[in-house]
Amino acid sequence: MSAVAADALAGVRLERGAAVRTLEFVAFAFPPDGALRAAWPVEPGAVSLGPDDRPTLLHFAPARWLLPDPDEALTALVAAAVDAGAGTLVDVSGKWQAMQLTGPGAARVLASAVDLDAVLAGRGCAALVLFDCPLVLARVTGGFALWVRASYACDFTAAVERHRPSG
Amino acid sequence: MNVPARRGSRLGATTVRFTFDGREYRGQAGDTAASALLANGVRLFGRSIKYRRPRGLFAAGPEEPCALLSVGAAGDVIPNVPAPQLALRDGLVCWSQNRWPTLALDLAALLQAGAGLLGAGFYYKTFMWPSWRSYEPMIRNLAGLGRAPRACELPPVSTEHLCCDVLVAGAGPAGLAAGLAAARAGARVVLCEREPVCGGELDFEGGTIGALAAADWVRTTLAELAARGARVLTDTAVVGGSGGLVIAHAEPGGVAGANAIYRIRPREFVIATGAVERPIAFADNDRPGVMLLGAAERFLARYGAHAGRELVLFANHDRAYAAAARLRAGGMRVRAIIDCRTEAEFGASGTAVSLRDQFRRDGTECLPGHALLAAEGGRGVRAAVIAPLAAADARRTIACDTILVSGGWTPLLHASLHEGGAPRYAPELGAFVAGAEPDWRRSAGAANGALELNNALADGWAAGARAARRAGASGDAGVAPAGRGDDAPRLVPFCRSPARRVDERRQFVDLQNDVTVADLRSALTEGFQDIEHVKRYTTLGVGTEQGRTSGVLGAAIVAELRGVTPAAVGTSRLRQPYQPVTMRSLAGDRVGAALRPARRTPLHDWHLAHGGVLEPMGLWLRPRYYRASGADAHAAAIAEALRVRTTGGILDGSTLGKIEVAGADAAAFLDRMYLTRASTIRTGRSRYMVNLREDGMVLDDGLVLRLAPERYLATTGSGHATHVLSHFEHYRDTEWSGRAITLTDVTEAWAVIVVAGPQSRAGLGQVLGAGWQQALARIAHMEFVAGDFAGAGLTVLRASFSGELAFELHCRPSLAVPLWQALVDVGLPPYGLEALDILRVEKGYLVGSELNGETTPMDLHLGLASLGNACVGHELLDRPAFHEPARRCLIGIRASDGCAKFLAGAQLVTADAQTRPCGYVTSSVYSPTLGEWIGLALVARRTAIEGTVLTACDPLRGGNTTVRLVPPVHVDPDGLRMRA
Amino acid sequence: MTRLVCPFCGARELGEFEFRKTLPEPGGTPFAQVYERIERPALSVEHWQHVEGCRGWLLVHRNPSTGDVLGTELLGGGPL
């Protein structure tokens, strides 16, 4: 993910990702049936990681998976699932603004909005509303990856700026 | 004034200058306003709420009832700060409250003369003739204590969410013991201490814990807690919470500094908040110079401030003697110790006996079996009137300047009782302790009635170990240290000195609310027996003090007057917050721009940069008009609307709600959700559709596009997307569960640009290029074409909300700005929402003003209700009320006189029923096409005949206008322009 | 009760959920289904939606007298 706009706050760094193709796969039934189970993370909040530890498949809602910037292999996998009649694929490019919140103060910033340990307990990702902005949150090395609903992205950035931990 | 430097456990050496009531004083770093003023000889701190009696310092904590100060200057003032809680800083400005013109000379104190008429409940009996409103301004001026600020420039308050295994409220000996035990057992511990320093009363009571002096034990314990990862929050009070959530308020920077709110979810909660001293009631016990015994000790030990020079003590327990010894060692002279216990109750052994003997040898009168009947003195105590309890007429006076009173200790039960739960009376304490508690919450230490140091440590330790165990920590908590402190108090409950009836009017029970024993007696006489009724009738225990010094005292006196035990009386419900919290703190960061989010479209920055005037519409920021179009909103809107009808323009429609519905059962599902069938829409076409609520009312309208045999795009009104989506999701998950349907909100995945006007096709063709020209030429009304443009997907839908030839472009957000700019460059300027409103009213199109949740499809002539589709809501459309002649339906209106104006909301009346409206105006605009004001209205069916003349009444805004009814489509009724 | 357990997301603050409706008695007329409810002090069966989380629909069994939540299930599919 390239840093299109990086705001360096005290101990916290918020980077916005470039606009990439983003898909949502929605299954017709949950839990998904046999064929899908082998390849997909079916536990609530489960996350699949790509080669550079980047989340590539996030199960953030019942029967719904987010695929940020899927590579060819993943795209083929999803297409196979669609062909098998397991669900539909929607191109939602532009709906989610990808961001990364890193640095020693990242958890502190998020703790002013939500009890982080409780929300991410036993799962890799969670759908929630932080500072009034709907988003999907996942833990990554060094901090957190977020996908914020695009129309709220500006407000979210401003909120992180306001909550930067002082000293 | 040169005051020699004082020594105290909280004091530093630096001098601090501050101002009180306009006069400058000096204190030291670590002082509070109370201690510094006391050290400077100030005795008068405020005037009481009802009688405006002069008042001084009474307590040394948030339970202070009288010395409430306002901090800061006029605009930013923070009222009602208890002086002992106000930390000094250089340049602090504070004021006494509730007095005019000065604290020393208060005119309203003349009310004291009429004090007899102002007993409890006088509010309900006087000020009634001729009407209570005549007295309202005067009462408002006299009411309350402080004045509210009019502005707030203070820094915002931060919030932190914490979760832990064990939360301990209070870091006195019991709290520290609980925290340490839990931490040693391996639990994650958070301690909250409302004072700036931990240790509770150990700093003036002293004592030893284990092999260490108390102060050293506190230091090593804090170090061990830190080493084990426990979080100790000082200047942080637990103020409330419910249902497993605990709210703590931190004021590390003082009341006007950067504060924080902690929202804590502990698995276990240990309440070690301690006990507060309570007074004994005697006549004029509110005079400046009457203070709680423990308060005098705190001021001495912590701040080196003397409560007075000549002290008389009045108490009912052994600890008074140890306290007196400490005060004497600090340099004050103890004239007498009045002990209301008899000689037999005093006992024959213990340190109190030897202390008493020593006091007697040094000339202090120690009088068992006596009571202090009254304080003499107006602006300050001059003498104490005492008498033996056995012979209350044998009075004499002892000259003094300070009376220190202690009737025992009241455990602070707020954290337990905020959520209800009846407390239990403990006769040996003369007070209440917590009754049955839920398993995850426990009181410990003095809050649980364990007043001796050793017991408090053991109790706290046990509570902490138990909490850690219940939270799943498996380590060994170890053993509680032994403590040696003050002896057991051997208290005999005593609540008030004997007095004649007439003197009961001056025996104060609640100093903050001016409630006397006479008021309590009057409440009982009037029939208010229950303590809750007594509280409300007399205002006992309301205000910032919340019954801390007055609650148990009031209950004991009510019990005595009723002739029952205090256990039968109980205490009234305690309220959150535990101590005053400013609204600013509760608001946290939700102020100003952060109050609610603002959603932005991909074209937001372009609008801003090009003179768009943006306004919040629901959660979205949308352009109302563009400055280049006209001098003000009205002129700009008219110019923009006219331009669309004559040449063309573009509108940012990205806020349009869009839901993708896919799957084999999608068509059947949408048939059920919409009034008309979606399954009959051909791929590549769209249809205007309406959906209903279960009760038959119209929920929303929009175009539904069939993208593929098993894929639809349903559009909704801006701001309705989540509402309609929830409606769809509900049916998908209940009635349609197990079927092949998926719903996805794609509102933000597609930017929408509306291109409207006679030149729209030509301009669009220029921008999109040759590849699109043919499609644009052939596209029929309500059809759409999906293709590519600039490497990304683009859908062009031919549909119109303006009544002109128009196209809706759906493109990826990254393409929005270049596409928009290109359209502007070929001569299609932007128009805003005001212009859109003009255009749509001219065409009779509906928005939320008409789709207001009270209209049915028949009311709105959506006409299609007769097609018999079994959609959601159709079952209730046949209700008789929906077909009555009085039922309001949609019709157009125009002013009878060309230049007359009417506004939405005006009520419509006929000539012969002028007081009963037959309808109202839902939308109104000035139409540049027709040159007059036009609108839409909902009018009773029997009156809604074209040509009828009605009056639009708008008394609040403009008076009456004559209007006539016309068809709702004002311009181009056959729709020829948009089908060109 | 200030927390509700969403079967998908786990325990979340109550404010994230929206109450939608109490369920009507089965088999009534359309009018009764929309407007009539029988009040039971010990048990209320309700539909809530986790609007600020996964947007799942929940079937909630709740004791309206004490506020205690007796159970939550996700609507619209099999158990997760």
Side-chain angles (χ1 to χ4, degrees):
Chain A
M1 177 190 312
S2 65
V4 170
D7 304 284
L9 313 167
V12 173
R13 206 169 140 82
L14 184 69
E15 295 170 42
R16 291 174 143 224
V20 293
R21 193 170 73 113
T22 310
L23 308 176
E24 278 183 37
F25 174 76
V26 193
F28 290 129
F30 61 91
D33 37 19
L36 223 44
R37 276 185 174 279
W40 289 75
V42 297
E43 297 306 316
V47 174
S48 290
L49 296 175
D52 49 353
D53 266 354
R54 182 180 67 88
T56 52
L57 192 56
L58 300 107
H59 190 21
F60 70 99
R64 196 173 290 269
W65 286 260
L66 183 69
L67 294 89
D69 199 15
D71 58 14
E72 279 191 26
L74 196 51
T75 311
L77 189 66
V78 178
V82 172
D83 289 338
T88 60
L89 191 61
V90 184
D91 188 332
V92 295
S93 307
K95 172 179 174 183
W96 302 99
Q97 169 66 57
M99 297 195 193
Q100 271 216 336
L101 188 66
T102 52
R108 196 63 183 267
V109 167
L110 296 180
S112 46
V114 77
D115 184 353
L116 216 50
D117 291 329
V119 159
L120 287 175
R123 55 189 63 232
C125 71
L128 68 160
V129 171
L130 292 183
F131 308 122
D132 293 328
C133 303
L135 49 86
V136 174
L137 177 70
R139 256 197 244 270
V140 294
T141 40
F144 302 90
L146 309 102
W147 289 267
V148 184
R149 289 283 288 271
S151 60
Y152 293 88
C154 194
D155 248 34
F156 182 77
T157 312
V160 171
E161 167 79 20
R162 276 197 310 272
H163 286 88
R164 112 178 74 151
S166 43
Chain B
M1 185 202 294
N2 253 338
V3 180
R6 291 166 276 133
R7 305 247 306 265
S9 65
R10 302 234 180 135
L11 288 187
T14 344
T15 308
V16 171
R17 271 173 235 268
F18 68 105
T19 309
F20 172 62
D21 273 357
R23 200 173 142 186
E24 199 184 88
Y25 293 90
R26 282 191 214 174
Q28 289 171 229
D31 254 332
T32 60
S35 55
L37 287 169
L38 198 60
N40 275 280
V42 172
R43 292 239 142 180
L44 220 51
F45 280 76
R47 288 207 170 245
S48 71
I49 190 170
K50 200 156 74 177
Y51 302 133
R52 310 284 270 231
R53 284 164 70 102
R55 294 284 169 81
L57 265 182
F58 189 71
E63 62 271 14
E64 170 56 51
C66 307
L68 301 182
L69 308 181
S70 286
V71 180
D76 253 352
V77 67
I78 298 178
N80 297 340
V81 182
Q85 301 300 100
L86 181 55
L88 271 198
R89 51 183 163 76
D90 219 37
L92 180 81
V93 174
C94 53
W95 309 87
S96 61
Q97 297 180 158
N98 205 40
R99 77 293 182 280
W100 188 83
T102 64
L103 187 53
L105 176 63
D106 176 60
L107 290 185
L110 292 174
L111 280 172
Q112 281 195 63
L117 297 171
L118 292 176
F122 83 103
Y123 310 107
Y124 316 117
K125 298 172 187 164
T126 54
F127 306 130
M128 296 303 283
W129 183 90
S131 147
W132 66 270
R133 270 182 244 268
S134 344
Y135 301 96
E136 193 181 348
M138 174 191 76
I139 293 176
R140 280 195 185 280
N141 242 331
L142 291 174
L145 287 172
R147 295 265 157 255
R150 261 161 282 130
C152 184
E153 303 296 323
L154 300 169
V157 173
S158 65
T159 312
E160 192 178 330
H161 290 70
L162 283 183
C163 102
C164 60
D165 292 328
V166 180
L167 172 67
V168 181
L176 286 171
L180 191 56
R184 283 190 184 169
R188 281 181 308 157
V189 175
V190 172
L191 260 108
C192 285
E193 167 54 54
R194 72 163 162 78
E195 292 284 314
V197 166
C198 297
E201 272 122 48
L202 293 175
D203 62 355
F204 66 89
E205 276 183 7
T208 57
I209 300 178
L212 299 169
D216 294 327
W217 181 81
V218 171
R219 235 188 331 270
T220 52
T221 302
L222 288 173
E224 189 179 337
L225 283 169
R228 290 184 184 271
R231 235 178 123 175
V232 177
L233 303 168
T234 51
D235 279 310
T236 305
V238 167
V239 292
S242 70
L245 176 70
V246 176
I247 311 262
H249 180 227
E251 282 184 327
V255 76
N259 298 346
I261 289 273
Y262 293 94
R263 295 174 65 91
I264 309 173
R265 284 213 174 262
R267 297 179 64 171
E268 299 286 317
F269 187 17
V270 175
I271 299 168
T273 42
V276 73
E277 212 156 15
R278 65 174 173 275
I280 302 172
F282 53 88
D284 290 320
N285 62 336
D286 68 324
R287 292 298 181 203
V290 176
M291 195 186 280
L292 289 171
L293 179 54
E297 284 211 77
R298 283 171 178 78
F299 283 125
L300 177 65
R302 292 174 181 169
Y303 310 104
H306 289 189
R309 276 191 291 270
E310 308 279 324
L311 313 175
V312 167
L313 273 61
F314 180 31
N316 62 350
H317 54 80
D318 275 359
R319 292 241 175 119
Y321 297 89
R326 287 192 282 260
L327 292 170
R328 185 180 57 177
M332 290 173 266
R333 186 154 165 246
V334 181
R335 293 293 313 275
I337 300 177
I338 315 297
D339 193 333
C340 43
R341 297 173 297 165
T342 61
E343 190 63 41
E345 286 165 337
F346 180 72
S349 60
T351 35
V353 177
S354 48
L355 282 172
R356 188 176 71 164
D357 292 338
Q358 187 165 31
F359 271 112
R360 279 179 171 159
R361 276 198 298 272
D362 296 335
T364 303
E365 289 193 67
C366 294
L367 302 166
H370 274 64
L372 201 153
L373 299 181
E376 276 185 4
R379 297 265 195 79
V381 169
R382 274 195 326 263
V385 177
I386 61 168
L389 279 167
D393 295 320
R395 306 163 149 231
R396 61 186 176 92
T397 57
I398 302 179
C400 62
D401 66 0
T402 307
I403 296 173
L404 299 177
V405 61
S406 174
W409 291 268
T410 303
L412 288 170
L413 301 177
H414 291 68
S416 303
L417 295 188
H418 279 160
E419 287 182 78
R424 184 174 56 80
Y425 185 68
E428 69 280 9
L429 291 176
F432 293 86
V433 292
E437 291 259 49
D439 285 337
W440 63 280
R441 203 167 63 205
R442 253 318 119 142
S443 316
N448 197 25
L451 294 178
E452 288 170 72
L453 181 56
N454 194 51
N455 294 350
L457 288 169
D459 201 30
W461 198 271
R466 172 183 176 276
R469 205 170 42 243
R470 279 178 48 92
S474 51
D476 179 24
V479 174
R484 278 187 52 96
D486 281 352
D487 281 351
R490 295 177 56 167
L491 180 145
V492 174
F494 188 84
C495 57
R496 72 178 182 118
S497 300
R500 299 168 302 179
R501 276 299 166 91
V502 66
D503 291 331
E504 282 182 355
R505 282 205 254 120
R506 293 178 297 127
Q507 284 188 322
F508 283 86
V509 180
D510 182 341
L511 289 167
Q512 188 167 80
N513 299 292
D514 275 349
V515 177
T516 62
V517 173
D519 295 329
L520 297 181
R521 191 184 282 279
S522 154
L524 292 172
T525 314
E526 303 253 351
F528 298 103
Q529 301 279 310
D530 193 293
I531 190 68
E532 295 277 8
H533 291 152
V534 171
K535 170 184 177 179
R536 281 150 181 78
Y537 189 73
T538 60
T539 73
L540 170 78
V542 304
T544 67
E545 193 251 358
Q546 276 300 302
R548 266 173 280 230
T549 51
S550 64
V552 169
L553 184 63
I557 294 174
V558 167
E560 182 200 301
L561 294 175
R562 274 178 61 188
V564 299
T565 62
V569 171
T571 54
S572 56
R573 179 81 167 255
L574 303 174
R575 300 288 179 197
Q576 306 183 38
Y578 169 75
Q579 61 190 37
V581 179
T582 56
M583 298 297 278
R584 171 175 82 99
S585 293
L586 295 174
D589 62 342
R590 286 190 168 274
V591 286
L595 188 58
R596 60 175 67 85
R599 299 177 73 173
R600 291 168 165 78
T601 69
L603 292 159
H604 178 87
D605 291 335
W606 193 98
H607 299 317
L608 270 184
H610 292 82
V613 175
L614 296 167
E615 209 169 80
M617 308 259 171
L619 289 181
W620 290 95
L621 284 173
R622 308 189 65 186
R624 271 178 74 205
Y625 65 95
Y626 295 82
R627 287 206 187 85
S629 309
D632 60 16
H634 190 67
I638 290 170
E640 287 171 3
L642 210 49
R643 203 160 50 209
V644 171
R645 294 236 184 269
T646 51
T647 50
I650 54 175
L651 175 86
D652 179 3
S654 305
T655 61
L656 191 70
K658 306 162 205 81
I659 303 169
E660 218 180 271
V661 186
D665 295 314
F669 177 73
L670 291 176
D671 281 351
R672 171 71 170 140
M673 301 310 299
Y674 282 99
L675 186 57
T676 48
R677 291 202 171 81
S679 50
T680 55
I681 305 174
R682 292 201 304 275
T683 303
R685 291 192 59 91
S686 69
R687 183 178 296 161
Y688 174 73
M689 309 266 276
V690 159
N691 49 30
L692 307 182
R693 294 196 315 227
E694 291 183 307
D695 59 359
M697 301 298 185
V698 175
L699 176 65
D700 191 53
D701 69 344
L703 298 185
V704 173
L705 287 71
R706 191 165 200 168
L707 307 172
E710 294 185 352
R711 248 177 61 212
Y712 289 80
L713 183 71
T715 65
T716 75
S718 303
H720 286 179
T722 37
H723 198 51
V724 174
L725 182 62
S726 289
H727 182 70
F728 287 2
E729 284 167 335
H730 187 209
Y731 279 87
R732 181 203 60 194
D733 284 346
T734 52
E735 205 179 84
W736 293 73
S737 83
R739 308 283 290 273
I741 305 158
T742 66
L743 301 166
T744 309
D745 184 343
V746 293
T747 305
E748 286 138 310
W750 295 101
V752 174
I753 300 174
V754 174
V755 187
Q759 291 178 4
S760 54
R761 184 189 268 127
L764 194 54
Q766 257 189 286
V767 168
L768 295 182
W772 280 86
Q773 301 274 15
Q774 214 185 20
L776 287 175
R778 286 202 323 229
I779 188 172
H781 186 60
M782 301 299 263
E783 258 186 6
F784 65 90
V785 177
D788 275 322
F789 176 70
L794 176 72
T795 303
V796 177
L797 163 69
R798 183 176 163 179
S800 177
F801 196 56
S802 53
E804 298 301 312
L805 170 67
F807 301 85
E808 244 179 53
L809 310 181
H810 294 210
C811 67
R812 289 294 174 193
S814 48
L815 206 57
V817 173
L819 193 51
W820 177 275
Q821 185 64 58
L823 289 162
V824 171
D825 292 337
V826 296
L828 292 166
Y831 63 101
L833 295 176
E834 298 274 348
L836 179 66
D837 207 35
I838 293 176
L839 296 167
R840 72 99 190 161
V841 172
E842 287 178 342
K843 292 297 296 180
Y845 290 146
L846 308 176
V847 293
S849 324
E850 290 79 35
L851 307 173
N852 57 15
E854 293 178 347
T855 47
T856 66
M858 294 83 73
D859 297 339
L860 301 173
H861 309 303
L862 294 170
L864 316 158
S866 57
L867 289 185
N869 182 24
C871 66
V872 168
H874 85 280
E875 302 98 331
L876 269 77
L877 283 182
D878 296 329
R879 287 190 267 174
F882 287 175
H883 302 271
E884 282 176 356
R887 180 87 195 158
R888 293 173 180 181
C889 66
L890 184 74
I891 194 132
I893 50 172
R894 286 204 210 179
S896 286
D897 169 4
C899 23
K901 171 175 155 169
F902 54 85
L903 295 172
Q907 299 292 308
L908 296 167
V909 297
T910 57
D912 48 325
Q914 303 227 347
T915 52
R916 281 230 244 111
C918 60
Y920 67 99
V921 180
T922 59
S923 310
S924 86
V925 293
Y926 177 81
S927 163
T929 319
L930 301 167
E932 58 179 359
W933 280 80
I934 60 171
L936 298 172
L938 289 167
V939 175
R941 211 162 294 237
R942 58 174 165 227
T943 319
I945 302 164
E946 290 168 24
T948 310
V949 172
L950 299 175
T951 312
C953 302
D954 206 348
L956 293 180
R957 286 179 300 184
N960 301 348
T961 316
T962 317
V963 295
R964 67 184 196 288
L965 300 182
V966 296
V969 185
H970 296 93
V971 168
D972 183 23
D974 297 322
L976 299 172
R977 297 177 70 91
M978 65 186 181
R979 291 177 210 275
Chain C
M1 262 306 133
T2 57
R3 287 223 274 192
L4 206 58
V5 177
C6 169
F8 189 88
C9 302
R12 294 282 193 100
E13 298 289 330
L14 192 64
E16 292 187 12
F17 300 81
E18 255 183 48
F19 167 84
R20 295 296 188 185
K21 62 195 268 186
T22 325
L23 295 196
E25 297 299 299
T29 63
F31 186 88
Q33 299 250 323
V34 173
Y35 288 112
E36 289 173 3
R37 296 292 183 272
I38 293 184
E39 215 178 276
R40 296 193 172 81
L43 177 67
S44 177
V45 183
E46 302 165 353
H47 281 171
W48 289 64
Q49 188 180 22
H50 193 187
V51 287
E52 292 191 2
C54 64
R55 291 195 67 82
W57 278 85
L58 274 58
L59 179 71
V60 175
H61 286 78
R62 202 170 65 93
N63 181 332
S65 307
T66 61
D68 294 331
V69 174
L70 307 166
T72 55
E73 280 167 47
L74 208 54
L75 288 169
L80 287 165

